Amino acid sequence: MENIKEKSYNVNNEMSKRKEAGMETFELVILETSDIHGNILPINYGTNKAAAVGLAKISTLVKTERARQKHVLLLDNGDLIQGTPLTYYYARTDSKAPNPMVRAANALQYDAAVPGNHEFNYGQELLMGVVKESHFPWLSANILNEQTRKPYFGRPYTMKVFAEGLKVAILGLTTPYIPNWEQTQHIRGMLFADPVETAKRWVKFLREREQADIVIVSYHGGFERDLDSGEPTEDLTGENQGYQLCREVPGIDVLLTGHQHRMIAGKAINGVTVMQPGNNGRALGKVVLQLEKQEGHWRCAQKRSELLPVEAAKADPSIIALARPYEEATQAWLDQPIGKIEGDMLVHDPMEARLKDHPLIEFMNRVQMDAAEADISCTALFDNQSPGFPENVTMRDIVSNYIYPNTFKVVRITGMDMKAALERSASYFKTDSGGNIEVNPAFSNPKPQHYNYDMWEGIDYVIDISKPVGKRIVKLEYKGKPIDPAAEYEVVMNNYRAGGGGDYLMFKGKPVVKDVQIDAPELIANYILERKVIRATVDHNWKVIF
């Protein structure tokens, strides 16, 4: 947890002194969730065991805070509606029913939400249904209607006015990097403007025209620089601009962030209190503002922030009851038998699976190649929790290994592009002082990015990590001949990668030969159902040496 303390105050004593002096005071509590990713219940769907996650536990914490405090705002920072088998099953089989995530959020009585990048994964029809069903506004000042240039979701901000006359503005912003990841039809008609320039205009408007006493910016994005030193922690692509918002936009009191799944509290940048509460509902972010009235206007005297973990919280029975019918249908679907694996397709060691050809990765690539009728493919082991496939495969096993609703594209690239992509993947590794292989910190901090290391089928290659980054591909062949840098090759990859996601900008804008519009989990299930028995095989077409 990144819990670097702000200057501490004896808040109660300070406010007591002000009250005794006859000064009017006010305490405002801001609660934040972010990157809930479809987690309502405290369960790990891969293992079907209890886990310290989800809105049911968050609800208990929220109720406790509301019982203690008179003035509480509850805000969601995005990536709410996608990420678990429950939300996938709902989106693909029962999306005419009320959305389970919205039902839970309505029950928690959120004041506002911001669309994150994964809000778009299931398409515009489902997303706009979510907006319509919500009892709270969805805010994004920088996602615009391409024609009118007005906020696409209608509301760039919301204003909360309290009986004491305090005016609190909440401005929503979303990372503009979404077009690099999302399927074109899911964001058709939308324009993603720069959050910093957008914030400069709107924060000034909120301060000067709306006379807001407090301005909260809820930004579905993270920090591109070290919070202490200001040194860049990633390529400054525009995916994360939280540090820039704090430094360049005057008038922000609190910046709520997300997207990177970090645990950040007790930290301020340029006087702006910043917060990020992790992912999956592991913690609730809490910011407390101590306000006092000066010359007829409310001013912030003190600020503090903390993270409230959910481990010790009991799940709210009302939220569990609300989710029960969705959960029962999901569990029945997850336990459906699909087929059998002959041989070993389990992931015993995720690092080993990335150092040499593995049966699970070869299988995933074969599925993509079959669906797209392509003879070159690339895919990834998305995280270190991917278990692989047991002998008897169910839908649970499929969604435990392929955790995104990706579709696939066949992209025409040059040999030079292929080499550049492989070099990007090869930068995933580093060696320590003893010569042992480790993950390059750029792929693990501030957010794990194992999904950005690709493994290929249909070509033969060798990665030598004793070589400098950018010069590690020491063999690259197609059908027994060296890859021609100027020649063109057709490669199937997921839609995220085809858009340049993960800093694979060599793929961005390349011709799309074929678009496979079937989600990966469904594609994998169909492949196994059709064949009934799958042999775990490897052809050893690639390896890592050092």
Side-chain angles (χ1 to χ4, degrees), residues 293-540:
K293 209 164 193 179
Q294 299 175 358
E295 299 178 354
H297 296 284
W298 288 102
R299 295 288 183 264
C300 189
Q302 299 168 7
K303 298 185 280 188
R304 59 186 171 87
S305 60
E306 62 181 312
L307 292 167
L308 308 177
V310 303
E311 279 90 349
K314 292 184 178 180
D316 185 338
S318 66
I319 302 300
I320 291 177
L322 177 152
R324 184 171 292 118
Y326 300 93
E327 177 68 7
E328 289 175 351
T330 300
Q331 290 292 346
W333 173 69
L334 285 172
D335 289 332
Q336 290 178 9
I338 302 296
K340 289 184 175 293
I341 302 297
E342 188 179 278
D344 186 1
M345 206 179 280
L346 295 171
V347 177
H348 302 284
D349 182 335
M351 179 61 90
E352 283 296 317
R354 297 185 179 104
L355 291 173
K356 61 183 178 181
D357 206 0
H358 187 278
L360 177 68
I361 300 302
E362 180 148 320
F363 168 75
M364 296 290 195
N365 273 319
R366 293 292 181 192
V367 171
Q368 294 179 193
M369 293 160 80
D370 178 77
E373 298 180 319
D375 63 357
I376 305 177
S377 173
C378 61
T379 192
L381 185 68
F382 293 118
D383 62 35
N384 287 343
Q385 282 69 53
S386 295
F389 290 150
E391 180 182 358
N392 296 300
V393 182
T394 64
M395 280 303 304
R396 189 185 306 279
D397 299 312
I398 292 173
V399 298
S400 295
N401 285 282
Y402 211 110
I403 58 179
Y404 303 110
N406 289 334
T407 57
F408 300 95
K409 297 179 185 292
V410 179
V411 181
R412 183 177 293 126
I413 64 173
T414 66
M416 184 181 297
D417 295 327
M418 186 185 297
K419 171 73 159 46
L422 286 163
E423 291 288 3
R424 162 67 179 151
S425 283
S427 69
Y428 176 82
F429 301 105
K430 69 180 288 287
T431 54
D432 63 16
S433 57
N436 300 307
I437 296 181
E438 296 181 338
V439 176
N440 181 343
F443 285 80
S444 57
N445 293 313
K447 174 183 177 180
Q449 298 177 45
H450 303 297
Y451 51 82
N452 283 331
Y453 170 69
D454 286 340
M455 292 159 280
W456 293 57
E457 191 63 37
I459 57 173
D460 295 279
Y461 63 98
V462 174
I463 298 173
D464 184 351
I465 63 170
S466 69
K467 305 287 186 184
V469 170
K471 296 182 180 179
R472 290 179 165 180
I473 305 304
V474 295
K475 175 185 176 181
L476 180 54
E477 296 179 351
Y478 174 65
K479 295 184 176 179
K481 296 181 180 179
I483 290 287
D484 181 349
E488 293 184 329
Y489 303 86
E490 295 181 359
V491 183
V492 58
M493 60 188 72
N494 66 53
N495 59 284
Y496 171 79
R497 189 68 80 237
D503 290 334
Y504 285 82
L505 300 181
M506 68 291 297
F507 297 147
K508 187 176 180 179
K510 290 300 192 301
V512 176
V513 179
K514 183 180 288 188
D515 212 336
V516 181
Q517 287 297 311
I518 302 175
D519 288 355
E522 183 179 347
L523 207 64
I524 295 167
N526 291 343
Y527 187 93
I528 298 174
L529 282 166
E530 183 180 325
R531 290 158 178 79
K532 296 183 175 58
V533 177
I534 304 294
R535 291 186 62 232
T537 62
V538 288
D539 60 8
H540 304 290

Side-chain angles (χ1 to χ4, degrees), residues 166-188:
L166 176 71
K167 296 179 72 175
V168 179
I170 304 154
L171 178 70
L173 298 170
T174 304
T175 176
Y177 218 60
I178 291 172
N180 292 294
W181 308 315
E182 193 51 73
Q183 299 180 52
T184 303
Q185 66 269 27
H186 290 176
I187 55 173
R188 187 170 286 120

Side-chain angles (χ1 to χ4, degrees), residues 13-25 291-292 301-302:
N13 287 345
E14 289 291 327
M15 297 310 290
S16 295
K17 290 177 183 177
R18 285 173 167 80
K19 287 179 181 178
E20 289 172 7
M23 183 175 289
E24 195 172 351
T25 61
L291 309 168
E292 58 186 35
Q302 299 168 7

Side-chain angles (χ1 to χ4, degrees), residues 28-44:
L28 177 66
V29 174
I30 305 156
L31 303 178
E32 181 201 5
T33 58
S34 190
D35 300 272
I36 294 294
H37 284 294
N39 286 277
I40 299 178
L41 302 177
I43 187 173
N44 179 318

Side-chain angles (χ1 to χ4, degrees), residues 264-304:
I264 300 173
K267 183 67 179 174
I269 300 171
N270 196 31
V272 180
T273 294
V274 297
M275 166 66 68
Q276 194 168 142
N279 64 310
N280 297 344
R282 293 184 292 138
L284 178 66
K286 178 182 178 181
V287 179
V288 180
L289 304 184
Q290 301 290 344
L291 309 168
E292 58 186 35
K293 209 164 193 179
Q294 299 175 358
E295 299 178 354
H297 296 284
W298 288 102
R299 295 288 183 264
C300 189
Q302 299 168 7
K303 298 185 280 188
R304 59 186 171 87

